[in-house]
Coordinates of all heavy atoms in Angstrom, one line a residue:
M1 N 3.7 13.6 4.7 CA 2.4 13.2 4.8 C 2.0 12.8 6.2 O 0.9 12.8 6.6 CB 2.2 11.9 3.8 CG 2.2 12.3 2.4 SD 1.8 10.9 1.2 CE 2.2 9.4 2.0
L2 N 3.0 12.4 7.0 CA 2.8 11.9 8.3 C 3.1 13.0 9.4 O 3.0 12.7 10.6 CB 3.6 10.6 8.7 CG 3.2 9.4 7.9 CD1 4.3 8.4 7.9 CD2 1.9 8.8 8.5
D3 N 3.4 14.2 9.0 CA 3.6 15.3 9.9 C 4.7 14.9 10.9 O 4.5 15.1 12.1 CB 2.3 15.7 10.6 CG 2.4 17.0 11.3 OD1 3.2 17.9 10.9 OD2 1.7 17.2 12.3
I4 N 5.9 14.5 10.4 CA 6.9 14.2 11.3 C 8.2 14.9 11.1 O 9.2 14.6 11.6 CB 7.2 12.6 11.3 CG1 7.6 12.1 9.9 CG2 6.1 11.8 11.9 CD1 8.1 10.7 9.8
S5 N 8.2 15.8 10.2 CA 9.5 16.6 9.8 C 10.1 17.2 11.0 O 11.4 17.3 11.1 CB 9.2 17.6 8.7 OG 8.3 18.6 9.2
Q6 N 9.3 17.6 12.0 CA 9.9 18.3 13.2 C 10.6 17.3 14.1 O 11.3 17.6 15.0 CB 8.8 19.0 14.1 CG 7.9 18.1 14.7 CD 6.7 17.4 13.9 OE1 6.7 17.6 12.7 NE2 5.9 16.7 14.6
L7 N 10.6 16.0 13.8 CA 11.2 14.9 14.6 C 12.5 14.6 14.1 O 13.3 13.8 14.7 CB 10.3 13.6 14.6 CG 8.8 13.9 15.1 CD1 8.1 12.5 15.0 CD2 8.8 14.4 16.6
L8 N 13.0 15.1 13.0 CA 14.2 14.8 12.4 C 15.4 14.9 13.3 O 16.3 14.1 13.3 CB 14.5 15.6 11.1 CG 13.7 15.2 9.9 CD1 13.8 16.2 8.8 CD2 14.1 13.8 9.5
S9 N 15.4 15.9 14.1 CA 16.6 16.2 15.0 C 16.4 15.7 16.4 O 17.2 15.8 17.3 CB 16.9 17.7 15.1 OG 15.7 18.4 15.6
E10 N 15.3 15.0 16.6 CA 15.0 14.4 18.0 C 15.7 13.1 18.3 O 15.9 12.3 17.4 CB 13.5 14.3 18.2 CG 12.7 15.5 18.1 CD 12.9 16.4 19.3 OE1 13.1 15.9 20.4 OE2 12.8 17.7 19.1
N11 N 16.0 13.0 19.5 CA 16.5 11.7 19.9 C 15.4 10.7 20.0 O 14.4 10.9 20.6 CB 17.2 11.8 21.3 CG 17.8 10.5 21.9 OD1 17.3 9.4 21.6 ND2 18.9 10.7 22.6
P12 N 15.5 9.5 19.3 CA 14.4 8.5 19.3 C 13.8 8.1 20.6 O 12.7 7.8 20.8 CB 15.0 7.4 18.5 CG 16.1 8.0 17.7 CD 16.7 9.1 18.5
S13 N 14.7 8.1 21.6 CA 14.3 7.7 23.0 C 13.4 8.6 23.6 O 12.6 8.2 24.6 CB 15.5 7.4 23.9 OG 16.2 8.6 24.1
Y14 N 13.3 9.8 23.1 CA 12.4 10.9 23.6 C 11.1 11.0 22.9 O 10.2 11.8 23.3 CB 13.0 12.3 23.7 CG 14.2 12.3 24.6 CD1 15.5 12.7 24.1 CD2 14.1 12.0 25.9 CE1 16.6 12.7 24.9 CE2 15.2 12.0 26.8 CZ 16.5 12.4 26.2 OH 17.5 12.5 27.1
L15 N 10.8 10.2 21.8 CA 9.6 10.2 21.1 C 8.5 9.5 21.8 O 8.7 8.5 22.5 CB 9.8 9.6 19.7 CG 10.9 10.2 18.8 CD1 10.9 9.5 17.5 CD2 10.6 11.7 18.6
S16 N 7.3 10.0 21.6 CA 6.1 9.4 22.3 C 5.8 8.0 21.4 O 6.3 7.9 20.3 CB 4.9 10.2 22.1 OG 4.5 10.4 20.8
G17 N 5.0 7.2 21.9 CA 4.6 6.0 21.2 C 4.0 6.3 19.9 O 4.3 5.6 18.9
G18 N 3.1 7.3 19.8 CA 2.6 7.6 18.5 C 3.5 8.3 17.5 O 3.4 8.0 16.3
E19 N 4.5 9.0 18.0 CA 5.5 9.5 17.1 C 6.4 8.4 16.6 O 6.7 8.4 15.4 CB 6.4 10.6 17.9 CG 5.7 11.9 18.2 CD 6.4 12.8 19.2 OE1 7.2 12.3 19.9 OE2 6.2 14.0 19.1
K20 N 6.8 7.5 17.4 CA 7.5 6.3 17.0 C 6.8 5.5 16.0 O 7.3 5.0 15.0 CB 7.9 5.4 18.2 CG 8.9 6.0 19.1 CD 9.3 5.1 20.3 CE 10.2 5.8 21.3 NZ 10.4 5.0 22.4
Q21 N 5.4 5.4 16.2 CA 4.6 4.7 15.3 C 4.6 5.3 13.9 O 4.7 4.6 12.9 CB 3.2 4.6 15.8 CG 2.3 3.6 15.1 CD 2.5 2.2 15.4 OE1 3.4 1.8 16.2 NE2 1.6 1.3 15.0
R22 N 4.5 6.6 13.8 CA 4.5 7.4 12.6 C 5.8 7.3 11.9 O 5.9 7.2 10.7 CB 4.1 8.8 12.8 CG 2.6 8.9 13.1 CD 2.1 10.3 13.2 NE 2.6 10.9 14.4 CZ 2.9 12.2 14.6 NH1 2.6 13.1 13.6 NH2 3.3 12.7 15.7
V23 N 6.9 7.4 12.6 CA 8.3 7.2 12.1 C 8.4 5.8 11.5 O 8.9 5.7 10.3 CB 9.3 7.5 13.1 CG1 10.7 7.0 12.6 CG2 9.3 8.9 13.5
G24 N 7.9 4.8 12.1 CA 7.9 3.4 11.6 C 7.1 3.3 10.4 O 7.6 2.6 9.4
I25 N 6.0 3.9 10.3 CA 5.2 3.9 9.0 C 5.9 4.6 7.9 O 5.9 4.1 6.8 CB 3.8 4.5 9.3 CG1 3.0 3.6 10.3 CG2 3.0 4.7 8.0 CD1 1.7 4.3 10.8
A26 N 6.5 5.7 8.2 CA 7.3 6.4 7.2 C 8.4 5.6 6.7 O 8.7 5.5 5.5 CB 7.8 7.7 7.7
R27 N 9.1 4.9 7.6 CA 10.2 4.0 7.1 C 9.7 2.9 6.3 O 10.4 2.5 5.3 CB 11.0 3.4 8.3 CG 11.7 4.5 9.1 CD 12.3 3.9 10.4 NE 13.3 2.8 10.0 CZ 13.7 1.9 10.8 NH1 13.2 1.8 12.1 NH2 14.6 1.0 10.5
A28 N 8.6 2.4 6.5 CA 7.9 1.3 5.7 C 7.5 1.8 4.3 O 7.6 1.1 3.4 CB 6.7 0.6 6.4
L29 N 7.1 3.0 4.3 CA 6.6 3.6 3.0 C 7.7 4.2 2.1 O 7.5 4.4 0.8 CB 5.5 4.6 3.3 CG 4.3 4.1 4.1 CD1 3.4 5.3 4.4 CD2 3.6 3.1 3.3
I30 N 8.7 4.6 2.7 CA 9.8 5.5 1.9 C 10.3 4.7 0.7 O 10.7 5.4 -0.3 CB 10.9 5.9 2.9 CG1 11.7 7.0 2.3 CG2 11.8 4.7 3.2 CD1 11.0 8.3 2.3
T31 N 10.4 3.4 0.6 CA 10.9 2.7 -0.5 C 9.9 2.3 -1.6 O 10.2 1.6 -2.5 CB 11.7 1.4 0.0 OG1 10.7 0.6 0.6 CG2 12.8 1.8 0.9
D32 N 8.6 2.8 -1.4 CA 7.6 2.5 -2.3 C 7.4 1.0 -2.6 O 7.5 0.5 -3.6 CB 7.9 3.3 -3.7 CG 6.6 3.2 -4.6 OD1 5.4 3.1 -4.0 OD2 6.8 3.3 -5.7
P33 N 7.2 0.2 -1.4 CA 7.1 -1.2 -1.5 C 5.9 -1.7 -2.2 O 4.8 -0.9 -2.2 CB 7.1 -1.7 -0.1 CG 6.5 -0.5 0.6 CD 6.9 0.7 -0.1
K34 N 5.8 -2.9 -2.7 CA 4.6 -3.5 -3.3 C 3.8 -4.1 -2.3 O 2.6 -4.4 -2.4 CB 5.0 -4.5 -4.4 CG 5.8 -3.9 -5.5 CD 4.8 -2.9 -6.2 CE 5.6 -2.2 -7.4 NZ 4.9 -0.9 -7.7
L35 N 4.4 -4.5 -1.1 CA 3.7 -5.2 0.0 C 4.2 -4.6 1.3 O 5.4 -4.5 1.5 CB 3.9 -6.7 -0.1 CG 3.3 -7.5 1.0 CD1 1.8 -7.5 1.0 CD2 3.8 -9.0 1.0
I36 N 3.2 -4.4 2.2 CA 3.6 -3.9 3.6 C 2.9 -4.9 4.5 O 1.7 -5.1 4.5 CB 3.1 -2.5 3.8 CG1 4.0 -1.5 2.9 CG2 3.2 -2.2 5.3 CD1 3.6 -0.1 3.1
L37 N 3.6 -5.4 5.5 CA 3.1 -6.3 6.6 C 3.1 -5.4 7.8 O 4.1 -4.8 8.2 CB 4.0 -7.5 6.7 CG 4.2 -8.4 5.5 CD1 5.2 -9.5 5.9 CD2 2.9 -9.0 5.1
A38 N 1.9 -5.2 8.4 CA 1.8 -4.3 9.6 C 1.0 -4.9 10.7 O 0.0 -5.5 10.5 CB 1.1 -3.0 9.1
D39 N 1.7 -4.9 11.8 CA 1.0 -5.4 13.1 C 0.5 -4.2 13.8 O 1.2 -3.5 14.4 CB 2.0 -6.2 13.9 CG 1.4 -6.9 15.1 OD1 0.2 -6.8 15.3 OD2 2.2 -7.5 15.9
E40 N -0.8 -4.1 13.9 CA -1.5 -2.9 14.6 C -0.9 -1.6 14.2 O -0.2 -0.9 15.0 CB -1.4 -3.2 16.1 CG -2.2 -4.2 16.6 CD -3.7 -4.0 16.6 OE1 -4.1 -2.8 16.5 OE2 -4.5 -5.0 16.6
P41 N -0.9 -1.2 12.9 CA -0.3 0.0 12.4 C -0.8 1.3 13.1 O -0.1 2.3 13.0 CB -0.5 0.0 10.9 CG -1.7 -0.8 10.7 CD -1.6 -1.9 11.8
T42 N -2.0 1.2 13.6 CA -2.5 2.5 14.2 C -2.7 2.3 15.7 O -3.4 3.1 16.3 CB -3.8 2.9 13.5 OG1 -4.8 1.8 13.7 CG2 -3.7 3.1 12.1
G43 N -2.1 1.3 16.2 CA -2.3 0.9 17.6 C -2.1 1.9 18.7 O -2.7 2.1 19.6
S44 N -1.1 2.7 18.5 CA -0.7 3.7 19.6 C -0.9 5.2 19.1 O -0.3 6.1 19.6 CB 0.7 3.5 20.0 OG 1.6 3.6 19.0
L45 N -1.8 5.3 18.1 CA -2.1 6.6 17.6 C -3.4 7.2 18.2 O -4.4 6.4 18.4 CB -2.2 6.6 16.1 CG -1.0 6.0 15.4 CD1 -1.3 6.0 13.8 CD2 0.2 6.9 15.6
D46 N -3.6 8.5 18.3 CA -4.8 9.1 18.7 C -5.7 9.0 17.5 O -5.3 8.7 16.4 CB -4.6 10.5 19.2 CG -4.0 11.4 18.1 OD1 -4.6 11.6 17.1 OD2 -2.9 11.9 18.3
S47 N -7.0 9.2 17.7 CA -8.0 9.0 16.6 C -7.8 9.9 15.4 O -8.0 9.5 14.3 CB -9.5 9.2 17.2 OG -9.6 10.4 17.7
E48 N -7.3 11.1 15.6 CA -7.1 12.0 14.5 C -5.9 11.5 13.7 O -6.0 11.5 12.4 CB -6.8 13.5 15.1 CG -6.5 14.5 13.9 CD -6.3 15.9 14.5 OE1 -6.9 16.2 15.6 OE2 -5.5 16.6 13.8
T49 N -4.8 11.1 14.3 CA -3.7 10.6 13.6 C -4.0 9.3 12.9 O -3.6 9.1 11.8 CB -2.5 10.5 14.5 OG1 -2.2 11.7 15.2 CG2 -1.2 10.1 13.8
E50 N -4.8 8.5 13.6 CA -5.3 7.2 13.0 C -6.0 7.5 11.6 O -5.7 6.8 10.7 CB -6.2 6.4 13.9 CG -6.7 5.2 13.3 CD -7.6 4.4 14.2 OE1 -7.1 3.7 15.1 OE2 -8.9 4.6 14.1
L51 N -6.9 8.4 11.6 CA -7.6 8.7 10.4 C -6.6 9.2 9.3 O -6.8 8.8 8.1 CB -8.7 9.8 10.7 CG -9.9 9.3 11.5 CD1 -10.8 10.5 11.8 CD2 -10.7 8.3 10.8
M52 N -5.6 10.0 9.7 CA -4.6 10.5 8.7 C -3.8 9.3 8.1 O -3.7 9.3 6.9 CB -3.7 11.5 9.4 CG -2.5 12.0 8.5 SD -1.4 13.1 9.3 CE -0.7 12.0 10.6
V53 N -3.5 8.4 9.0 CA -2.7 7.2 8.6 C -3.5 6.3 7.7 O -3.1 6.0 6.5 CB -2.1 6.5 9.7 CG1 -1.6 5.1 9.3 CG2 -1.0 7.3 10.5
L54 N -4.7 6.1 8.0 CA -5.7 5.3 7.2 C -5.9 5.9 5.8 O -6.0 5.3 4.8 CB -7.0 5.0 7.9 CG -6.9 4.2 9.2 CD1 -8.2 4.0 9.8 CD2 -6.2 2.8 8.9
D55 N -6.0 7.2 5.8 CA -6.2 7.9 4.5 C -4.9 7.8 3.7 O -5.1 7.5 2.5 CB -6.5 9.4 4.8 CG -6.6 10.2 3.5 OD1 -7.6 9.9 2.7 OD2 -5.8 11.1 3.2
I56 N -3.8 7.8 4.3 CA -2.5 7.6 3.6 C -2.4 6.2 3.0 O -2.1 6.0 1.9 CB -1.3 8.0 4.5 CG1 -1.3 9.5 4.7 CG2 0.0 7.4 3.8 CD1 -0.3 9.8 5.8
F57 N -2.9 5.2 3.8 CA -2.8 3.9 3.4 C -3.7 3.6 2.3 O -3.4 2.9 1.3 CB -3.3 2.9 4.6 CG -2.2 2.6 5.6 CD1 -1.0 3.2 5.6 CD2 -2.5 1.8 6.6 CE1 0.0 2.9 6.5 CE2 -1.6 1.5 7.6 CZ -0.3 2.1 7.5
Q58 N -4.9 4.3 2.2 CA -5.8 4.1 1.1 C -5.3 4.7 -0.1 O -5.4 4.2 -1.2 CB -7.2 4.7 1.5 CG -8.0 3.9 2.4 CD -9.3 4.5 2.8 OE1 -9.4 5.6 3.4 NE2 -10.4 3.8 2.4
R59 N -4.6 5.9 0.0 CA -4.0 6.6 -1.2 C -2.8 5.7 -1.8 O -2.7 5.6 -3.0 CB -3.6 8.0 -0.9 CG -4.8 8.9 -0.8 CD -4.4 10.4 -0.7 NE -4.0 10.6 0.7 CZ -3.0 11.4 1.1 NH1 -2.2 12.0 0.2 NH2 -2.7 11.6 2.3
I60 N -2.1 5.2 -0.9 CA -0.9 4.3 -1.3 C -1.4 3.1 -2.0 O -0.8 2.7 -3.0 CB 0.0 4.1 -0.1 CG1 0.7 5.4 0.3 CG2 1.0 3.0 -0.4 CD1 1.4 5.3 1.6
E61 N -2.5 2.5 -1.4 CA -3.0 1.2 -2.0 C -3.4 1.4 -3.4 O -3.2 0.5 -4.2 CB -4.2 0.7 -1.2 CG -4.6 -0.7 -1.4 CD -5.7 -0.7 -2.5 OE1 -6.4 0.3 -2.6 OE2 -5.8 -1.7 -3.2
W62 N -3.9 2.6 -3.8 CA -4.2 2.8 -5.1 C -3.1 2.9 -6.0 O -3.2 2.7 -7.2 CB -5.0 4.2 -5.3 CG -6.3 4.2 -4.5 CD1 -7.2 3.2 -4.3 CD2 -6.9 5.3 -4.0 NE1 -8.2 3.5 -3.6 CE2 -8.2 4.9 -3.4 CE3 -6.6 6.7 -3.9 CZ2 -9.1 5.8 -2.7 CZ3 -7.5 7.5 -3.3 CH2 -8.7 7.1 -2.7
N63 N -1.9 3.0 -5.5 CA -0.6 3.0 -6.3 C 0.0 1.6 -6.3 O 1.2 1.5 -6.4 CB 0.4 4.0 -5.8 CG -0.1 5.4 -6.0 OD1 -0.7 5.7 -6.9 ND2 0.2 6.3 -5.0
N64 N -0.8 0.6 -6.2 CA -0.4 -0.8 -6.3 C 0.4 -1.3 -5.1 O 1.3 -2.1 -5.3 CB 0.4 -1.0 -7.6 CG -0.6 -0.8 -8.8 OD1 -1.8 -1.2 -8.7 ND2 -0.1 -0.3 -9.8
T65 N 0.3 -0.8 -3.9 CA 0.9 -1.3 -2.8 C -0.1 -2.1 -2.0 O -1.3 -1.5 -1.8 CB 1.5 -0.2 -1.8 OG1 2.5 0.5 -2.5 CG2 2.1 -0.8 -0.6
S66 N 0.1 -3.4 -1.7 CA -0.8 -4.1 -0.9 C -0.5 -4.1 0.6 O 0.7 -4.0 0.9 CB -0.8 -5.6 -1.4 OG -1.3 -5.6 -2.7
F67 N -1.4 -4.2 1.4 CA -1.2 -4.3 2.9 C -1.8 -5.5 3.4 O -2.9 -6.0 3.1 CB -1.9 -3.1 3.6 CG -1.4 -1.8 3.3 CD1 -1.7 -1.1 2.1 CD2 -0.5 -1.2 4.2 CE1 -1.2 0.2 1.9 CE2 0.0 0.1 4.0 CZ -0.3 0.7 2.7
V68 N -1.0 -6.2 4.3 CA -1.5 -7.2 5.1 C -1.3 -6.8 6.6 O -0.2 -6.5 7.0 CB -0.7 -8.6 5.0 CG1 -1.2 -9.7 5.9 CG2 -0.8 -9.0 3.5
M69 N -2.5 -6.6 7.3 CA -2.5 -6.0 8.6 C -3.1 -6.9 9.7 O -4.1 -7.5 9.4 CB -3.2 -4.7 8.6 CG -2.6 -3.6 7.7 SD -3.3 -2.0 7.8 CE -4.9 -2.3 6.9
V70 N -2.4 -6.9 10.8 CA -3.1 -7.5 12.0 C -3.8 -6.4 12.7 O -3.2 -5.4 13.0 CB -2.0 -8.2 12.9 CG1 -2.7 -8.7 14.2 CG2 -1.3 -9.3 12.2
I71 N -5.1 -6.5 12.9 CA -5.8 -5.5 13.5 C -6.8 -6.0 14.6 O -7.2 -7.1 14.6 CB -6.6 -4.7 12.5 CG1 -7.6 -5.6 11.7 CG2 -5.7 -4.0 11.4 CD1 -8.6 -4.9 10.8
H72 N -7.2 -5.0 15.4 CA -8.2 -5.3 16.4 C -9.2 -4.1 16.4 O -10.0 -4.0 17.4 CB -7.6 -5.4 17.8 CG -6.7 -6.6 17.9 ND1 -5.4 -6.5 17.7 CD2 -7.0 -7.9 18.2 CE1 -4.8 -7.7 17.9 NE2 -5.7 -8.6 18.2
N73 N -9.2 -3.3 15.5 CA -9.9 -2.1 15.5 C -10.9 -2.0 14.3 O -10.4 -2.1 13.2 CB -8.9 -0.9 15.4 CG -9.6 0.5 15.6 OD1 -10.7 0.6 15.1 ND2 -8.8 1.4 16.2
A74 N -12.2 -1.9 14.5 CA -13.1 -1.8 13.5 C -12.9 -0.7 12.5 O -13.2 -0.8 11.3 CB -14.6 -1.7 14.1
S75 N -12.5 0.5 13.0 CA -12.2 1.6 12.0 C -11.2 1.2 11.0 O -11.2 1.7 9.8 CB -11.9 2.9 12.8 OG -10.7 2.7 13.5
V76 N -10.2 0.4 11.4 CA -9.1 0.0 10.4 C -9.7 -1.0 9.5 O -9.5 -1.1 8.3 CB -8.0 -0.5 11.2 CG1 -6.9 -1.1 10.1 CG2 -7.3 0.5 12.1
A77 N -10.6 -1.9 10.0 CA -11.2 -3.0 9.2 C -12.1 -2.4 8.1 O -12.2 -2.9 7.0 CB -12.0 -3.9 10.1
N78 N -12.7 -1.2 8.4 CA -13.6 -0.6 7.4 C -12.9 -0.2 6.2 O -13.6 0.0 5.1 CB -14.3 0.6 8.0 CG -15.3 0.1 9.1 OD1 -15.9 -0.9 9.0 ND2 -15.6 1.0 10.1
I79 N -11.6 0.0 6.1 CA -10.9 0.4 4.9 C -10.4 -0.9 4.1 O -9.9 -0.7 3.0 CB -9.8 1.3 5.2 CG1 -8.5 0.7 5.8 CG2 -10.2 2.6 5.9 CD1 -7.3 1.5 5.7
C80 N -10.5 -2.0 4.7 CA -9.9 -3.3 4.1 C -10.9 -3.8 3.0 O -12.1 -3.7 3.1 CB -9.7 -4.3 5.2 SG -8.6 -3.8 6.4
D81 N -10.1 -4.4 2.0 CA -10.9 -5.0 0.9 C -11.4 -6.4 1.3 O -12.4 -6.9 0.8 CB -10.1 -5.1 -0.4 CG -9.7 -3.7 -1.0 OD1 -10.6 -2.8 -0.9 OD2 -8.7 -3.6 -1.6
E82 N -10.6 -7.1 2.0 CA -10.8 -8.5 2.5 C -10.4 -8.6 3.9 O -9.5 -8.0 4.4 CB -10.0 -9.5 1.6 CG -10.4 -9.5 0.2 CD -9.6 -10.6 -0.5 OE1 -9.5 -11.8 0.0 OE2 -9.2 -10.4 -1.6
L83 N -11.2 -9.4 4.6 CA -11.0 -9.6 6.1 C -10.9 -11.1 6.4 O -11.7 -11.8 5.8 CB -12.1 -8.9 6.9 CG -12.3 -7.5 6.8 CD1 -13.5 -7.0 7.5 CD2 -11.1 -6.7 7.4
Y84 N -10.0 -11.4 7.2 CA -9.8 -12.8 7.7 C -9.7 -12.8 9.2 O -9.2 -11.9 9.8 CB -8.6 -13.4 7.0 CG -8.7 -13.6 5.5 CD1 -8.3 -12.5 4.7 CD2 -9.3 -14.7 4.9 CE1 -8.4 -12.6 3.3 CE2 -9.3 -14.8 3.6 CZ -8.9 -13.8 2.7 OH -9.0 -13.9 1.4
M85 N -10.1 -13.9 9.8 CA -10.0 -14.0 11.2 C -9.3 -15.3 11.6 O -9.6 -16.4 10.9 CB -11.4 -14.0 11.9 CG -11.4 -14.2 13.4 SD -12.9 -13.8 14.3 CE -13.8 -15.2 13.7
L86 N -8.3 -15.3 12.4 CA -7.7 -16.5 12.9 C -8.5 -17.0 14.1 O -8.6 -16.4 15.1 CB -6.3 -16.1 13.3 CG -5.4 -17.4 13.7 CD1 -5.3 -18.4 12.5 CD2 -4.0 -16.9 14.1
K87 N -9.1 -18.2 13.9 CA -10.0 -18.7 15.0 C -9.6 -20.2 15.1 O -9.7 -21.0 14.0 CB -11.4 -18.5 14.6 CG -12.3 -19.0 15.7 CD -13.8 -18.6 15.3 CE -14.7 -19.2 16.4 NZ -16.2 -18.8 16.0
D88 N -9.3 -20.6 16.2 CA -9.0 -22.1 16.5 C -7.9 -22.6 15.5 O -8.1 -23.6 14.9 CB -10.2 -23.0 16.5 CG -11.2 -22.5 17.5 OD1 -10.8 -22.2 18.6 OD2 -12.5 -22.7 17.2
R89 N -6.9 -21.7 15.3 CA -5.8 -22.1 14.4 C -6.1 -22.2 12.9 O -5.5 -22.8 12.2 CB -5.1 -23.3 14.9 CG -4.5 -23.2 16.2 CD -3.7 -24.5 16.6 NE -3.2 -24.4 17.9 CZ -2.4 -25.2 18.6 NH1 -2.0 -26.2 17.8 NH2 -2.1 -25.0 19.8
K90 N -7.3 -21.7 12.5 CA -7.8 -21.7 11.2 C -8.0 -20.2 10.7 O -8.6 -19.5 11.5 CB -9.0 -22.6 11.0 CG -8.7 -24.0 11.3 CD -9.9 -24.8 11.1 CE -9.5 -26.3 11.4 NZ -10.6 -27.1 11.7
L91 N -7.7 -19.9 9.5 CA -7.9 -18.7 8.9 C -9.2 -18.7 8.2 O -9.4 -19.5 7.3 CB -6.8 -18.3 7.9 CG -6.6 -16.9 7.5 CD1 -6.3 -16.0 8.7 CD2 -5.5 -16.8 6.5
E92 N -10.2 -17.8 8.6 CA -11.5 -17.8 8.0 C -11.8 -16.4 7.4 O -11.5 -15.4 8.0 CB -12.5 -18.0 9.2 CG -12.4 -19.3 9.9 CD -13.5 -19.5 11.0 OE1 -14.3 -18.6 11.2 OE2 -13.4 -20.6 11.7
N93 N -12.3 -16.5 6.2 CA -12.8 -15.2 5.6 C -14.1 -14.8 6.1 O -15.0 -15.7 6.4 CB -12.9 -15.5 4.1 CG -13.1 -14.2 3.3 OD1 -13.7 -13.3 3.7 ND2 -12.6 -14.2 2.1
F94 N -14.3 -13.6 6.4 CA -15.6 -13.0 6.8 C -15.8 -11.7 6.4 O -14.8 -11.0 6.0 CB -15.8 -13.2 8.3 CG -14.8 -12.3 9.1 CD1 -15.3 -11.2 9.7 CD2 -13.5 -12.7 9.4 CE1 -14.5 -10.4 10.5 CE2 -12.6 -11.9 10.1 CZ -13.1 -10.7 10.7
Q95 N -17.0 -11.2 6.4 CA -17.4 -9.9 5.7 C -17.5 -8.8 6.7 O -17.2 -7.7 6.4 CB -18.6 -10.1 4.9 CG -18.4 -11.1 3.8 CD -17.3 -10.7 2.9 OE1 -17.1 -9.6 2.4 NE2 -16.4 -11.7 2.5
D96 N -18.1 -9.1 7.9 CA -18.4 -8.0 8.8 C -17.6 -8.0 10.1 O -18.0 -8.8 11.0 CB -19.9 -8.0 9.1 CG -20.4 -6.7 9.7 OD1 -19.6 -5.8 10.1 OD2 -21.6 -6.6 10.0
F97 N -16.6 -7.2 10.2 CA -15.7 -7.1 11.4 C -16.5 -6.7 12.7 O -16.1 -7.1 13.8 CB -14.6 -6.1 11.0 CG -13.6 -6.0 12.2 CD1 -12.6 -7.0 12.3 CD2 -13.6 -5.0 13.1 CE1 -11.7 -6.9 13.3 CE2 -12.5 -4.9 14.0 CZ -11.6 -5.8 14.1
R98 N -17.6 -5.9 12.5 CA -18.3 -5.3 13.6 C -19.0 -6.5 14.4 O -19.4 -6.3 15.5 CB -19.2 -4.3 13.1 CG -18.5 -3.1 12.6 CD -19.5 -2.2 12.0 NE -20.0 -2.7 10.8 CZ -19.5 -2.5 9.5 NH1 -18.5 -1.7 9.4 NH2 -20.0 -3.1 8.4
N99 N -19.2 -7.7 13.8 CA -19.9 -8.8 14.4 C -19.1 -9.7 15.2 O -19.6 -10.7 15.7 CB -20.8 -9.5 13.4 CG -21.9 -8.7 12.9 OD1 -22.5 -7.9 13.6 ND2 -22.4 -9.0 11.7
I100 N -17.9 -9.4 15.4 CA -16.9 -10.3 16.2 C -17.3 -10.2 17.6 O -17.5 -9.2 18.2 CB -15.5 -9.9 16.0 CG1 -15.2 -10.2 14.5 CG2 -14.6 -10.7 16.8 CD1 -13.7 -9.8 14.2

């Protein structure tokens, strides 16, 4: 799903940031977890790969996997069911990420 099969024989130190990110996502998903904690899961991905990963996250979420993500990107926020912002050491629920 993450288009990384060609990386199986590669030395990890030679992988790009985006390739390492996709391998990390695959490692998180391989065990079919019920909860995934992700810090900027699409942070070092190009826009095409980001869309692919977000689509995968949405399909996986339908299979009862929940995600808690730290994000700074409105396109990632658009797929979220709930959004919270940490402001002045307080967690606040809000609806529109684009108004930050």
Side-chain angles (χ1 to χ4, degrees):
M1 291 186 336
L2 290 161
D3 192 29
I4 59 172
S5 60
Q6 74 281 4
L7 303 177
L8 286 172
S9 61
E10 295 292 327
N11 182 325
S13 63
Y14 295 122
L15 299 180
S16 70
E19 290 169 333
K20 289 177 184 177
Q21 191 81 350
R22 287 186 289 153
V23 169
I25 291 167
R27 290 177 62 201
L29 299 176
I30 197 76
T31 61
D32 194 25
K34 295 298 177 200
L35 175 66
I36 293 178
L37 304 175
D39 184 7
E40 292 289 340
T42 61
S44 57
L45 303 177
D46 60 63
S47 58
E48 182 179 326
T49 306
E50 177 182 276
L51 290 174
M52 176 182 64
V53 168
L54 295 179
D55 179 62
I56 290 167
F57 283 0
Q58 287 180 296
R59 286 189 279 142
I60 289 168
E61 190 269 333
W62 295 332
N63 292 325
N64 297 319
T65 297
S66 297
F67 291 83
V68 175
M69 297 187 282
V70 175
I71 60 170
H72 295 95
N73 185 329
S75 64
V76 178
N78 288 330
I79 72 160
C80 297
D81 294 328
E82 295 182 44
L83 298 171
Y84 296 87
M85 180 170 67
L86 185 60
K87 183 177 180 181
D88 299 326
R89 298 183 185 191
K90 294 183 178 155
L91 197 60
E92 299 177 1
N93 189 326
F94 65 102
Q95 299 303 313
D96 193 356
F97 185 76
R98 293 169 294 262
N99 288 332
I100 295 177

